[in-house]
């Protein structure tokens, strides 16, 4: 492996990492919002909406992200909706991530024993107070590992956006391999950059997870 | 105990969808300061009756009133009304993410908007009374079943309820821990708290009750003073029920 080439590639990969990070952050943030909304609809079994959410979740979890991305980027313009590459990438990530986040959050909400709600209600708490002070704090502790696993999963899934010529890490690596035939160096940089992004997330999550457990959550 | 009726149940009918009636026209008046113990075989509807009294279950007929105000599951003003009706459940249902003191002060602070200082001062006094002041900063999982149940009683008391409902609060406890919980309840009874208790502890029922109500198959079969009920039950059904709690030795000596 040639060190000079690695150094030459560094700024290119750094720039691409920014693209990957931007799409990841936007996609994850909106996924969490969509997930919260969907999980609450499911948890409270709101009629009609919860059926719609169920269809969305099955559709989203049982189709590959590449297919979803192609559908949004190549399919939607045919019916008059055309977005920029970045928007398409974020929307695709949210379409995938929203359902995973929803399931992770819902499993936390449902892990809280019904008698917890009942005893809060019998203390005179309003439905909002029951959620805010009793259900959500306990649900968060249960959901946390799954939510973080989804965050890692979604960052990795962003590599798919190279398929619509968005200059993320994956795209730059493929581009450099095609141009310069420096396959080893390009792949090495690719792996390193994903590790640089993902390892801290994983480490932080395991620390946070332990903290949450020690703080007295759970039985 | 006064003559003033505090909690009144009239012709209560309750059924779950698609099943027969769980409560079939139950009427019961609880006077201020009275301790009513409800007895009956499993599935007779006694827990359901208690849950209706707190508006946790909807009912199909009749009415429940506290000081003349209607108690229903989705009624207006139920959050205010429930504050006057304390309830303790069979399972230790403390909030596991909060310390003992926070468990007790959560509702006074958030629901009744009392100051943090005042609420925690009272919480400490109440915890002291049940001998658990030294546990105020630990989490529920560090307590025994009996200790948790005493905290659950304190948590309900901190809301200054007018009536306390106890739903088989010792049923899930180890035998040695039953006593400490029942002692707390006896203490409350002596202080004149209005209480409705569902229990299987016959000796306790006899000691604590002003009146025993025996329910079977969704109706009140017998209502009497504890001595009358335990010594001379009027109905066959009650006599048979009481017999299940006595044992005769099968061993012959020699």
């Amino acid at each position: 492996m040639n060190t000079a080439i690695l150094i030459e590639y560094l700024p290119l990969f750094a720039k691409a990492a920014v693209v990957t990070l931007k799409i990841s952050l936007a996609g994850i943030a909106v996924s969490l919002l969509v997930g919260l909304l969907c999980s609450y609809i499911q948890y409270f079994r709101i009629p009609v909406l919860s059926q719609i959410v169920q269809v969305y979740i099955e559709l989203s979890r049982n189709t590959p992200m590449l297919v979803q991305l192609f559908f949004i980027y190549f399919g939607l313009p045919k019916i008059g909706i055309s977005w920029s590459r970045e928007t398409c990438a974020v929307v695709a990530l949210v379409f995938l991530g929203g359902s995973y986040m929803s399931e992770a959050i819902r499993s936390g909400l449902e892990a809280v024993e019904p008698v917890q709600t009942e005893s809060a209600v019998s203390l005179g708490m309003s439905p909002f107070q029951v959620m805010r002070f009793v259900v959500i704090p306990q649900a968060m502790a249960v959901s946390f590992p799954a939510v973080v696993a989804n965050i890692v999963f979604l960052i990795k899934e962003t590599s798919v956006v190279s398929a619509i010529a968005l200059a993320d890490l994956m795209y730059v690596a493929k581009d450099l391999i095609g141009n310069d035939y420096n396959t080893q160096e390009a792949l090495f940089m690719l792996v390193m950059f994903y590790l640089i992004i993902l390892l801290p997330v994983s480490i932080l999550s395991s620390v946070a997870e332990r903290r949450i457990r020690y703080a007295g959550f759970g039985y | 105990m006064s003559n003033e009726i505090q909690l009144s149940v009239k012709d209560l009918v309750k059924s779950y969808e698609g099943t027969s009636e769980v409560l079939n026209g139950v009427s019961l008046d609880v006077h201020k300061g009275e301790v009513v113990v409800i007895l009956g075989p499993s599935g007779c509807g006694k827990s359901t009756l208690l849950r209706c009294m707190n508006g946790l279950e909807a009912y199909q007929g009749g009415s429940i009133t506290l000081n003349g105000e209607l108690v229903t599951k989705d009624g207006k003003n139920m959050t205010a009304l429930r504050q006057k009706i304390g309830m303790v459940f069979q399972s230790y249902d403390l909030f596991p993410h909060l310390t003992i003191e926070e468990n007790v002060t959560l509702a006074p602070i958030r629901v009744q908007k009392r100051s943090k200082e005042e609420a925690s001062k009272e919480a400490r006094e109440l915890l002291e009374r049940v001998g658990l002041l030294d546990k105020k900063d630990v989490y529920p999982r560090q307590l025994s079943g009996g200790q948790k149940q005493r905290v659950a009683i304190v948590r309900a008391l901190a809301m200054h309820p007018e009536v306390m409902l106890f739903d088989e609060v010792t049923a899930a406890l180890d035998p040695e821990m039953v006593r400490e919980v029942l002692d707390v309840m006896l203490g409350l009874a002596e202080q004149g708290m209005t209480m409705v208790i569902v229990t299987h502890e016959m000796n306790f029922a006899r000691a604590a009750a002003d009146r025993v109500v025996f329910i079977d198959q969704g109706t009140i079969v017998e209502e009497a003073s504890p001595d009358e009920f335990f010594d001379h039950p009027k109905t066959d059904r009650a006599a048979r029920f009481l017999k299940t709690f006595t044992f005769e030795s099968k061993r012959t000596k020699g």
Side-chain angles (χ1 to χ4, degrees):
Chain A
M1 211 173 339
N2 190 331
T3 330
I5 294 172
L6 288 181
I7 291 164
E8 185 195 326
Y9 281 177
L10 197 59
L12 296 172
F13 274 95
K15 215 174 128 198
V18 173
V19 174
T20 293
L21 275 175
K22 266 190 190 162
I23 292 168
S24 299
L25 284 179
I28 289 162
V30 184
S31 290
L32 274 170
L33 288 180
V34 171
L36 273 175
L37 189 69
C38 291
S39 64
Y40 281 42
I41 289 171
Q42 297 273 73
Y43 180 71
F44 290 111
R45 297 195 172 81
I46 299 170
V48 186
L49 285 180
S50 67
Q51 279 84 358
I52 294 172
V53 167
Q54 194 58 43
V55 170
Y56 154 64
I57 286 174
E58 296 307 334
L59 191 65
S60 150
R61 301 213 308 170
N62 294 301
T63 51
M65 183 175 163
L66 186 61
V67 173
Q68 296 166 4
L69 184 67
F70 276 17
F71 191 88
I72 291 163
Y73 185 68
F74 297 114
L76 288 186
K78 301 269 186 274
I79 56 165
I81 305 169
S82 61
W83 291 320
S84 70
R85 288 195 177 101
E86 287 79 9
T87 310
C88 285
V90 172
V91 169
L93 202 61
V94 169
F95 186 80
L96 181 74
S99 66
Y100 278 87
M101 290 300 185
S102 170
E103 292 291 273
I105 297 166
R106 187 176 61 91
S107 69
L109 291 173
E110 283 175 359
V112 180
E113 302 267 344
V115 72
Q116 289 282 318
T117 304
E118 284 187 346
S119 48
V121 165
S122 75
L123 288 167
M125 287 192 208
S126 66
F128 174 79
Q129 288 171 326
V130 173
M131 290 305 286
R132 162 81 178 77
F133 298 116
V134 176
V135 176
I136 290 174
Q138 293 181 56
M140 264 172 33
V142 178
S143 301
F144 186 81
V147 168
V148 176
N150 285 343
I151 289 175
V152 173
F153 160 73
L154 288 175
I155 295 174
K156 289 190 284 190
E157 281 299 291
T158 57
S159 58
V160 167
V161 304
S162 63
I164 57 168
L166 199 62
D168 77 325
L169 286 168
M170 190 69 197
Y171 182 86
V172 168
K174 281 197 288 189
D175 203 34
L176 290 172
I177 293 168
N179 283 340
D180 310 343
Y181 302 111
N182 293 324
T183 311
Q184 277 184 15
E185 286 79 2
L187 287 180
F188 177 77
M189 292 297 271
L190 181 62
V191 171
M192 280 301 135
F193 267 85
Y194 272 116
L195 280 179
I196 289 167
I197 294 172
L198 288 165
L199 270 182
V201 179
S202 298
I203 292 166
L204 271 178
S205 79
S206 55
V207 171
E209 206 181 309
R210 230 173 299 143
R211 279 271 170 82
I212 287 176
R213 223 177 296 140
Y214 286 154
F217 286 79
Y219 295 85
Chain B
M1 182 171 59
S2 71
N3 285 326
E4 189 188 328
I5 293 172
Q6 195 151 36
L7 187 67
S8 174
V9 180
K10 279 202 180 69
D11 306 318
L12 190 70
V13 176
K14 159 84 190 169
S15 58
Y16 291 103
E17 243 171 279
T19 59
S20 58
E21 279 167 359
V22 185
L23 293 173
N24 201 348
V26 169
S27 293
L28 175 69
D29 284 337
V30 182
H31 299 84
K32 198 168 169 31
E34 190 180 20
V35 178
V36 173
V37 171
I38 301 175
L39 301 175
S42 306
C44 72
K46 53 195 192 305
S47 285
T48 306
L49 173 60
L50 218 58
R51 292 167 59 81
C52 287
M53 286 179 179
N54 196 13
L56 285 176
E57 298 273 354
Y59 49 86
Q60 281 75 39
S63 68
I64 299 174
T65 51
L66 178 76
N67 301 326
E69 279 186 273
L70 190 68
V71 178
T72 54
K73 184 167 185 252
D74 299 311
K76 265 193 200 166
N77 217 19
M78 273 312 288
T79 55
L81 214 46
R82 282 200 186 95
Q83 292 172 41
K84 298 181 192 165
I85 312 170
M87 178 137 181
V88 186
F89 299 82
Q90 175 181 334
S91 51
Y92 331 125
D93 57 322
L94 298 180
F95 305 131
H97 59 298
L98 300 177
T99 65
I100 298 308
E101 185 176 319
E102 287 166 346
N103 261 277
V104 179
T105 57
L106 178 68
I109 293 173
R110 300 295 180 177
V111 178
Q112 296 181 329
K113 311 288 177 206
R114 279 148 63 186
S115 78
K116 200 168 177 294
E117 294 72 42
E118 194 258 5
S120 59
K121 184 167 166 281
E122 194 193 353
R124 284 169 200 190
E125 283 165 11
L126 287 167
L127 286 170
E128 169 100 76
R129 250 168 62 188
V130 300
L132 289 173
L133 184 58
D134 57 325
K135 303 286 185 195
K136 70 181 174 59
D137 295 320
V138 308
Y139 286 90
R141 66 194 153 89
Q142 291 159 275
L143 298 189
S144 71
Q147 292 172 327
K148 282 185 215 177
Q149 203 55 293
R150 279 184 279 162
V151 174
I153 294 172
V154 164
R155 184 176 64 180
L157 287 176
M159 297 298 281
H160 306 152
E162 294 173 20
V163 181
M164 286 282 286
L165 311 176
F166 295 87
D167 187 9
E168 299 194 31
V169 292
T170 58
L173 295 178
D174 288 342
E176 291 150 54
M177 292 166 181
V178 169
R179 180 86 209 196
E180 62 194 46
V181 173
L182 295 182
D183 280 342
V184 170
M185 289 162 69
L186 273 176
L188 278 179
E190 276 163 23
Q191 286 160 29
M193 174 63 81
T194 311
M195 294 157 75
V196 181
I197 302 168
V198 168
T199 186
H200 285 297
E201 299 289 335
M202 294 302 142
N203 291 329
F204 170 74
R206 193 172 188 144
D210 292 313
R211 184 155 47 118
V212 172
V213 173
F214 179 68
I215 296 184
D216 189 32
Q217 295 182 336
T219 47
I220 294 181
V221 178
E222 188 165 339
E223 229 181 310
S225 75
D227 287 342
E228 232 174 85
F229 179 80
F230 287 106
D231 296 336
H232 311 288
K234 287 192 289 278
T235 57
D236 270 2
R237 185 64 193 92
R240 261 187 293 136
F241 173 75
L242 287 172
K243 229 180 151 188
T244 60
F245 292 92
T246 55
F247 294 91
E248 281 159 41
S249 177
K250 295 281 183 198
R251 276 196 294 181
T252 46
K253 283 181 183 156

